[in-house]
Amino acid sequence: MADRRIDPSHDEITAPAALPRPGGIAARARAASAPAYLEGLNAEQRRAVETIDGPVLVLAGAGTGKTRVLTTRLAHILTLGLARPGQILAVTFTNKAAREMRERIGGLIGESVEGMPWLGTFHSICVKILRRHAEAVGLKRDFTILDTDDQIRLMKQVIQAADLDDKRWPARQLAAYIDGWKNRGLTPDKVPSGDAYAFAGQGDELYKAYQARLKTLNAVDFGDLLLEVIRLFRENQDVLADFQSRFRYMLVDEYQDTNVAQYLWLRLLAQRPEGAGPPNICCVGDDDQSIYGWRGAEVDNILRFEKDFPGAVVIRLEQNYRSTSNILDAASHLIAHNEGRLGKTLHTQGDAGDKVTVTCAWDSEEEARLIGEEIEQLQRRGESLDDMAILVRASFQMREFEDRFVTLGLPYRVIGGPRFYERAEIRDAIAYLRATLQPADDLAFERIVNTPRRGIGDATVRTIHDVARARGIPMMQAALELTESEELKPRARSSLRALLDSFARWRGQLDALPQAELAAIILEESGYTEMWQRDRSADAPGRLENLKELLRSMEEFESMLGFLEHISLVMDSDAGGDEEKVSLMTLHAAKGLEFGTVFLPGWEEGLFPHQRSLDENGRAGLEEERRLAYVGLTRAKRRAALFFATNRRIHGLWQSTASSRFLDELPESNVEVVDTGSLRTSPSGYGHSRFDSREPFGSTYSTPGWQRAQRNKDRAAVRNPWNEPPLIEGEVLARSTGAESGYAVGERVFHQKFGYGRVSAVDGNKLTIAFEHSGSKRVLDSFVERH
DNA sequence: TCGGTTGAGTTTTTT
DNA sequence: ACTCAACCGA
């Protein structure tokens, strides 16, 4: 990869006014008076900030000050007056990142520049564009955005309408397919035939039907936000041209996480007419931290950047400011096992620090105990709990730690997990608001029509539904007409009548009352609040609390509509107390964070790397797991402690496990295998039993996992073939990918576990098979036979 | 309308 | 093994 060095005259081109030649007194004067925000940047960072013309790819390794560079770059463009805030497109992946960037830019250039309107997530920017041009893609301006839950309910209806058994063909699965297609930018007519065949042989038909339903509901799902804007751009050159010229500078964060649809979206915006010069697009990312392939991210986008944007300048940020060299070297050595990297060599000027530790535990319980003890020890030494984190591969691992911490009385916080707006009570409340504001919102209406119970059962709902479908009117209107006929039972009829009256009344108050006040009235009068007040279950008080929080956060918005808009895209719960706590989260959730001490439990084959990742994606899956390991290690500033257990309960069964191959891939000079004996003598008093009782049979060090770890200390040791870790299925897959299977699409096959089915797609030796009784699955060809 | 039973799924998760 | 959702019977 050839870095194109910066042209020395570059500064002059981009600076607002012509400046004297570099090297002279004036240049020195200019350097001295360089804006304060440039101070303290290293050479590469500064280059990344100042190279503002043309395509730039910034490869920002872990801990190299990426966010700082990004925000400084934006501040720089604004300060030089090269663009007004409204002419800069800055895309992030999460709302959190967008918020952070906004705050930091504000901090750099003062409050003088008002917020940038086009700084946000792909999705929020798309909403903004779509609201302006909704009609052009067949939507009304006030279209609703469905979340995953709505999507699945809608798909269920579509599946049922197609006369399919929604048991055998679960809506969730269809949702996954459609999501995948949308991630790849595929509209129903573009779905490849193999894929289309996948879901009961009518994947594309159902996709089409689903899209049609969305249009009649005046709704879009998350994927559509991107796709509809792409369609808008493609079909309306003038609209596209307008945005192309508007965005003089484009900036994309976490470029390694973009999917095909997002890529297409960017490509459209970055297109420049013949002879107009290259676009000023800057993509920032780290191919080594691409960990979202499973949800459609294409690392390829970043690997291909220079091809997509000829003449691109590639800048590598390799100076790490976060970790000690032991941690950094361990991580670098590990990630070097991946192929197809752009390649970076991180270095640090910091101390060597402690070595990365590897500890073997007998089982997951002991693992949690050891980590708990170590945390307490650090705490006694005066380290803050806020500066410690446990990063797990899968969320089920968290429970063991939570149990342990509760026992110890150790305060902890779980990061991630279900979001605020995903909770049932919040979604119900929002459904009430949506139904009030948008009478045509069938999904919202259906959700709360019988919540709380008001005697409008399934039968009634189905009647309403049928009438609405038959006449092509919204359900609420259908319901209204039904209450005026004799079709419904008196009881259902009267309570439906009452509900509709209420909605009409609330709607009448929309302009008269502040939204939060009206919302409170709606929740009160509908009996929703009362429902939870009467609920005697343990979580009812919490739910009421959440509802209050919802009302509180509503006050900050101009209107109810504005609030609904916000909540469908944003709304994350940042409920953090001020007490010091240990953080507990998945490795995925940890990206972008850093901690003094990081505990990484569960480094075992099958768990990490995860079996399913290997099974489904072979070598690519393994590499993504390895990147995940890399992300985990590089979160640590001073200490990284790895653990593996020789026994773990998986789906209820105790299994003995082999230590992760990733442990073998660490450089021995930076790793220390910990003698658990020293930890055992700590006066904890808890849960020694299992460990101690095993003592007479020999120490922990006789376990296979431990011995394996020991052998790693001496890499010269010859491994007996029978001592190799058990061959993992995915490994075979990884090795043999590329070998064509002898099967063809459409062939009928038999599988031991899933029965009969038809091959719907062939990918090397991986087959996608639509089974007659178990839906569609991906399996290895060796597991099926022709029939 | 509730509650017990049955069955399916059990990696990662944003928007 | 365990959880959670959907379903069926009282």
Side-chain angles (χ1 to χ4, degrees), chain A residues 734-787:
Chain A
R735 284 180 191 152
S736 58
T737 294
E740 276 304 313
S741 82
Y743 290 90
V745 171
E747 241 178 299
R748 189 172 146 88
V749 293
F750 178 76
H751 186 282
Q752 277 298 335
K753 193 161 148 217
F754 304 127
Y756 292 98
R758 233 170 246 292
V759 178
S760 59
V762 183
D763 174 15
N765 58 346
K766 283 178 278 183
L767 307 175
T768 304
I769 298 174
F771 288 104
E772 285 160 17
H773 298 286
S774 6
S776 180
K777 311 235 186 276
R778 256 158 91 86
V779 299
L780 286 178
D781 61 358
S782 53
F783 289 115
V784 300
E785 52 193 58
R786 285 202 175 76
H787 204 81

Side-chain angles (χ1 to χ4, degrees), chain A residues 482-486 488-497:
Chain A
L482 279 168
T483 58
E484 281 155 8
S485 73
E486 300 295 321
L488 297 176
K489 296 210 183 84
R491 190 173 134 69
R493 191 176 146 186
S494 66
S495 53
L496 191 55
R497 177 86 238 168

Side-chain angles (χ1 to χ4, degrees), chain A residues 296-429:
Chain A
E298 286 280 339
V299 208
D300 218 38
N301 290 347
I302 197 168
L303 302 179
R304 215 179 38 213
F305 188 85
E306 287 176 289
K307 278 205 199 91
D308 288 334
F309 299 100
V313 177
V314 178
I315 299 169
R316 288 183 167 76
L317 302 182
E318 299 177 308
Q319 173 73 259
N320 176 289
Y321 295 99
R322 181 185 292 152
S323 312
T324 60
S325 66
N326 271 323
I327 293 168
L328 203 61
D329 291 348
S332 304
H333 197 269
L334 174 75
I335 199 64
H337 288 81
N338 273 4
E339 288 170 13
R341 304 168 58 219
L342 290 175
K344 288 182 304 301
T345 322
L346 292 188
H347 41 84
T348 174
Q349 293 172 346
D351 303 340
D354 295 340
K355 289 190 174 183
V356 172
T357 63
V358 174
T359 311
C360 169
W362 168 250
D363 59 15
S364 51
E365 192 189 318
E366 189 187 57
E367 185 181 58
R369 206 190 74 224
L370 292 171
I371 290 177
E373 283 168 6
E374 213 165 315
I375 289 171
E376 289 190 314
Q377 220 169 66
L378 289 170
Q379 198 183 10
R380 276 195 295 274
R381 272 198 256 148
E383 300 221 8
S384 166
L385 291 178
D386 285 334
D387 210 21
M388 304 177 207
I390 297 148
L391 312 182
V392 298
R393 175 63 183 82
S395 40
F396 75 82
Q397 290 172 265
M398 291 197 203
R399 229 187 97 174
E400 203 106 37
F401 288 99
E402 293 197 55
D403 287 352
R404 189 71 205 161
F405 294 161
V406 170
T407 314
L408 295 174
L410 199 65
Y412 68 93
R413 78 169 67 88
V414 174
I415 297 185
R419 313 235 156 277
F420 183 68
Y421 70 92
E422 277 166 8
R423 293 161 203 238
E425 67 277 14
I426 300 301
R427 297 179 41 77
D428 287 340

Side-chain angles (χ1 to χ4, degrees), chain A residues 694-743:
Chain A
R694 211 178 63 254
E695 217 45 6
F697 306 108
S699 75
T700 335
Y701 317 129
S702 64
T703 62
W706 176 262
Q707 293 192 337
R708 231 163 88 74
Q710 290 295 307
R711 272 201 305 280
N712 294 341
K713 290 172 87 172
D714 180 9
R715 291 191 150 253
V718 180
R719 283 185 199 159
N720 299 320
W722 46 269
N723 239 351
E724 282 283 294
L727 199 61
I728 304 259
E729 206 176 280
E731 211 165 18
V732 179
L733 183 69
R735 284 180 191 152
S736 58
T737 294
E740 276 304 313
S741 82
Y743 290 90

